[in-house]
Every structure is written in structure tokens, then in C-alpha cells.
Amino acid sequence: MISIETSFGLRDRVAVITGGASGIGKACVQALRECGVHVVSADRTYAGGGKADEVYCDVTDEQSTRRLAQHSVNAYGRLDIWINAAGVMEVIRRTVDQKPEEWDRVISVNLRGTYLGCKEAATVMQRSGGAIVNIGSVAAMAGIPASTAYGPSKAAVATLTRNLACEWARLGIRVNCVAPGYIDTPMSRELFKDDAEVRDTALSKVPMRKLGQPMDIAATVLFLCSSAAAYITGVVMPVDGGWSASAGAR
Ligand code: NDP
């Protein structure tokens, strides 16, 4: 019998995961390590120093992102997988009350950060191919009041994914995007503000009526990085308990 691990072909691959200290990124770090991947986890929360293979990176900073790619090459001699999971949510308020600086902050981490990550990954991967997975959001797929930065940043991540997939296909670099729905992480806890009513209203729009777990996203990321997805590039895959399928119906 062929084991999942063998058919996924991930053992001894080398991966960089941004946002690796928390939530979805952290689950990706764990899932890939379980499959025998050498993972460099990168996050700005490692500013005070982390364990081995925990590297400080501010994804909005070109030099910082370049050093991260170089770290994986120096440590392991290669780079096969890059997962852009670092992201921030905006402070939800009426658009007319939003400061442009807040808009810039969200666009900078979610879009510029993903762009820089893809660029530095491909600079190394153009030699021998690889797989890039961007974490988008279903917030890119519908009109959400007072989400003038987050939703548009994730819509742009989806378009960036498709464009880069087409540009880099001939280099053997696959670029895909996972679009999570409501996932139980510090980010969604901040959104729900420990308010059960806010959470239940959100869940009433999810056909499966529950939050996803970070591992639900990590499992899809793992698949997209693996040789099981060798012919998949440029897709934006919702993992959302049916949220995007329901088109707002309850
Ligand atoms: P978390 O807040 O739990 O984790 C995000 C991590 O990214 C944090 O450790 C954060 O550090 C880090 N980070 C933020 N900005 C930077 C930066 N400039 N450079 C390096 N690291 C940074 O969020 P999630 O795990 O929930 O989110 C992961 C991704 O999934 C994000 O892109 C998010 O938009 C997306 N997503 C999440 C959903 C959810 O319901 N949870 C739904 C849809 C999409 P710090 O704590 O310092 O900010």
C-alpha cells in the first residue's frame, strides 16, 4: 500500500513559512514537519530571537524577506516550498472614519508582503522549481461592509497568484492560493471579541455551522505543496465550511 506521506513526496523538502508563529502558519509548520519537511518558520514575533529554524522577518521589508530566503539556502542548500501566511486584519470601522494609514498597513502586510515573499522565493526556485502557496481569504469573494482594506488585499492576492502561476509555470514553479473561511485562530478571536452573538451571526452564514481549525487549512496547503498537486497551479481554493458556496443564504 502506498502511504500518504510517500505519495505526497514531501520528505526532506525545504520550506519557508511566514506567519509561522501563530494560527494557520503555525499549523502549516507542524503539518509539514510531520511529513519530514525541513521548515524555516518566519514571523515578526521572533524579534527577540527564536529557537533554531525560527527566524525574524517583517514581510513588508524587502531586505528582511531576502535574508529569510537566503537563510534557508544557507542552512539547507535549497528551497522547495514557500507559504505566505503572515497577515493582519483591519480595525473594523466605517470607511469614512478609517485613516488611510490603517488601510496602508493592511495592504502592506497582506499584499506587499505576499508579493515580496513570492518574488524572493522564485528568485531561488527559478533554478530548480518549487511550490508557493499564498493564504488569501473568502473575504475576497463577497461584499463585506467596512472591509475596505482586508477584502481588497485578499482579492489582489488571488489575482497575484493567478498572474505569477502563469508567468512561472515554465520555470516549474507552481503558485496556488488557499482562501480560508472563519478559522479558529487569534485573528478570528479578535474579530469576534469573545462575543458569542457576533460569532453565532458569523456562523449562521456557514453551512457547516462551525469554525474551521488551523489544521483544516494546513492539510490543504500540504496537498498543494505536494507532488499529489503536480498539475495544479493558479487556483484559489476555498476552505470555508461551504461559506462561499452558500452565497449568503442561511
Ligand atoms: P494570526 O494573527 O494568528 O497569525 C498571523 C501571524 O502573522 C502572526 O504571528 C503575526 O504576528 C504575523 N505577522 C503579521 N504581520 C507580519 C509581518 N509584517 N511580518 C511577519 N509576520 C507578520 O492569524 P491567522 O493564523 O488567523 O491568519 C493567517 C493568514 O490567514 C492571514 O493571512 C489571514 O489573513 C488569513 N486568514 C485567516 C482567517 C481566519 O479566520 N483566521 C480567515 C481567512 C484568512 P503579530 O501577532 O505580531 O501580528
Side-chain angles (χ1 to χ4, degrees):
M1 197 173 82
I2 301 171
S3 75
I4 292 289
E5 186 202 277
T6 311
S7 66
F8 273 34
L10 287 165
R11 181 157 292 282
D12 286 332
R13 295 292 159 113
V14 176
V16 165
I17 303 178
T18 73
S22 180
I24 289 168
K26 191 173 180 180
C28 291
V29 170
Q30 189 187 331
L32 264 70
R33 283 193 178 141
E34 277 178 27
C35 290
V37 177
H38 304 289
V39 178
V40 176
S41 172
D43 205 289
R44 68 178 174 191
T45 66
Y46 300 140
K51 298 183 204 141
D53 277 341
E54 291 180 349
V55 174
Y56 168 78
C57 176
D58 175 354
V59 297
T60 67
D61 180 331
E62 185 181 17
Q63 294 307 324
S64 184
T65 309
R66 187 161 297 159
R67 278 195 297 275
L68 174 61
Q70 217 44 61
H71 174 94
S72 104
V73 174
N74 293 344
Y76 297 105
R78 54 189 291 162
L79 176 58
D80 306 294
I81 295 164
W82 187 293
I83 298 162
N84 288 303
V88 289
M89 208 179 54
E90 71 202 296
V91 178
I92 307 286
R93 55 168 54 102
R94 295 184 334 148
T95 301
V96 291
D97 296 330
Q98 187 185 47
K99 289 206 161 56
E101 293 76 15
E102 170 65 355
W103 193 88
D104 288 342
R105 181 183 71 88
V106 176
I107 298 289
S108 181
V109 177
N110 295 1
L111 179 54
R112 178 183 162 87
T114 301
Y115 155 75
L116 288 175
C118 289
K119 188 169 179 290
E120 294 306 326
T123 301
V124 179
M125 289 176 181
Q126 63 186 338
R127 297 197 281 270
S128 49
I132 297 172
V133 180
N134 299 324
I135 306 298
S137 172
V138 294
M141 300 175 184
I144 301 176
S147 177
T148 49
Y150 187 80
S153 74
K154 295 299 189 175
V157 165
T159 303
L160 180 72
T161 300
R162 294 188 192 100
N163 291 359
L164 296 179
C166 294
E167 183 181 338
W168 294 339
R170 65 188 174 79
L171 301 174
I173 303 171
R174 296 184 299 105
V175 190
N176 291 295
C177 176
V178 176
Y182 294 115
I183 310 299
D184 189 13
T185 71
M187 183 183 281
S188 63
R189 272 168 239 147
E190 195 186 321
L191 178 70
F192 299 139
K193 297 189 191 326
D194 291 327
D195 185 331
E197 207 180 315
V198 177
R199 204 190 67 148
D200 290 349
T201 304
L203 288 185
S204 70
K205 294 177 184 145
V206 179
M208 290 177 79
R209 295 286 188 271
K210 60 177 183 181
L211 293 176
Q213 293 304 311
M215 266 302 164
D216 292 324
I217 306 303
T220 308
V221 168
L222 196 147
F223 163 69
L224 288 171
C225 292
S226 75
S227 51
Y231 198 52
I232 300 177
T233 196
V235 302
V236 179
M237 192 178 288
V239 180
D240 62 355
W243 186 93
S244 53
S246 76
R250 295 194 181 195

